[in-house]
DNA sequence: CTTGACCCTGTAGTTGCTACAGGGTCCATA
DNA sequence: TATGGACCCTGTAGCAACTACAGGGTCAAG
């Protein structure tokens, strides 16, 4: 499989595939006589793993750890669980933050009554923390 | 006010203040004889506006537009409302995405029963999209 | 034999900062 | 008067995770 095919098969940008190789997340594949990268099924599986993990918001370093684990089938699974749990906690934290933010924005947007910028409640609210109901 | 004082007054890193000046978000202040930046109240208000907007997740470019608006009190307020509303919609979209993600992660984490990596359900789930209940 | 799709390397850009390196200034204390 | 420490200056490089070229090579179809 050439890089374009792998790209289509996994929905990954070609530049991104080369980037993952450069940072050591994907192994260097064999090359054809014309120096083209040549991939097999294990490469595709590994890239699918990486993309799926990225979609779920794991960082490259977390994925590196998860890949190390899956490369060594003897190792204890609890580290994978720990990484995923910590990430879940971060996502929950982020949702909580964004929810506060949404409430604040809703309040700010709701105050707009039209008119000119000099009287704009949106701009006023942005310039003045005292309008806020929660800390940020 | 010197830069350190402005930094403390607004809770903004000194490097960040200089960065905002470099990208034209804050005007160049006067200088003392020793070439130190010298700020007044309008600078502090503008920086407070910027920081508050950043805390609410507005991009630098959005803030630039909002500042342009507030610099011109004759202009119509509806653009500020439009920027804030669009941002609110983005925040809501992000919350929705993260909520799906959280559910997916909860499901993945919940499958861990301990054991070795070869049997790890977390690693399996990351390598295989078919376990997912929503698209991503 | 040329056109167009594909591939290669290497480097620079993106966003919003943050962190130096290498220097200058200012003020209090010994 | 010397010196130490807190503060300030410019300019550049780094972070994450890509993305976008520039400038070139390869290959099959018409």
């Amino acid at each position: 499989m050439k890089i374009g095919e792998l790209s289509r098969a996994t929905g990954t940008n070609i530049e991104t595939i080369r980037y993952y190789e450069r940072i050591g997340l994907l192994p260097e594949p064999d090359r054809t006589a014309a120096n083209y990268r040549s991939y097999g099924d294990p490469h595709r599986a590994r890239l699918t793993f990486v993309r799926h993990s990225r979609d779920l918001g794991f960082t490259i370093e977390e994925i590196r750890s998860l890949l190390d684990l899956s490369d060594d089938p003897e190792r204890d699974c609890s580290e994978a669980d720990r990484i995923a749990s910590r990430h879940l906690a971060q996502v929950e934290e982020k949702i909580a933050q964004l929810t506060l933010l949404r409430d604040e924005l809703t309040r700010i947007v709701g105050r707009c009554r039209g008119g000119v910028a000099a009287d704009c409640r949106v701009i006023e609210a942005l310039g003045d923390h005292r309008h806020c109901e929660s800390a940020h």
Side-chain angles (χ1 to χ4, degrees), chain A:
Chain A
M1 195 179 347
K2 281 188 285 179
I3 199 168
E5 208 178 330
L6 180 64
S7 164
R8 282 186 296 278
T10 60
T12 311
N13 204 316
I14 288 179
E15 322 269 39
T16 305
I17 297 173
R18 288 198 280 247
Y19 168 71
Y20 287 160
E21 180 184 325
R22 205 160 57 242
I23 63 171
L25 214 53
L26 298 181
E28 291 181 23
D30 290 342
R31 299 289 182 127
T32 67
N35 198 32
Y36 288 5
R37 287 173 179 80
S38 175
Y39 298 97
D41 270 4
H43 290 100
R44 204 197 46 214
R46 197 175 178 91
L47 180 52
T48 299
F49 185 103
V50 170
R51 285 315 303 172
H52 194 189
S53 302
R54 286 292 301 132
D55 285 347
L56 291 169
F58 288 94
T59 66
I60 298 284
E61 288 316 305
E62 285 168 335
I63 296 170
R64 222 186 271 281
S65 303
L66 291 167
L67 282 170
D68 279 357
L69 267 171
S70 77
D71 285 344
D72 184 353
E74 300 299 309
R75 273 177 66 192
D76 194 79
C77 170
S78 63
E79 194 181 332
D81 189 55
R82 207 176 45 72
I83 293 170
S85 298
R86 195 187 49 204
H87 181 55
L88 174 56
Q90 284 166 4
V91 169
E92 281 171 344
E93 169 68 19
K94 189 78 192 172
I95 289 174
Q97 275 176 19
L98 285 177
T99 302
L100 284 179
L101 221 103
R102 183 198 55 197
D103 295 347
E104 206 69 74
L105 280 168
T106 303
R107 202 157 34 242
I108 289 173
V109 168
R111 296 179 72 221
C112 184
R113 298 274 173 277
V116 294
D119 306 317
C120 183
R121 298 284 164 259
V122 173
I123 285 172
E124 182 191 322
L126 290 173
D128 193 347
H129 250 288
R130 284 170 304 180
H131 293 287
C132 299
E133 296 193 357
S134 61
H136 47 239

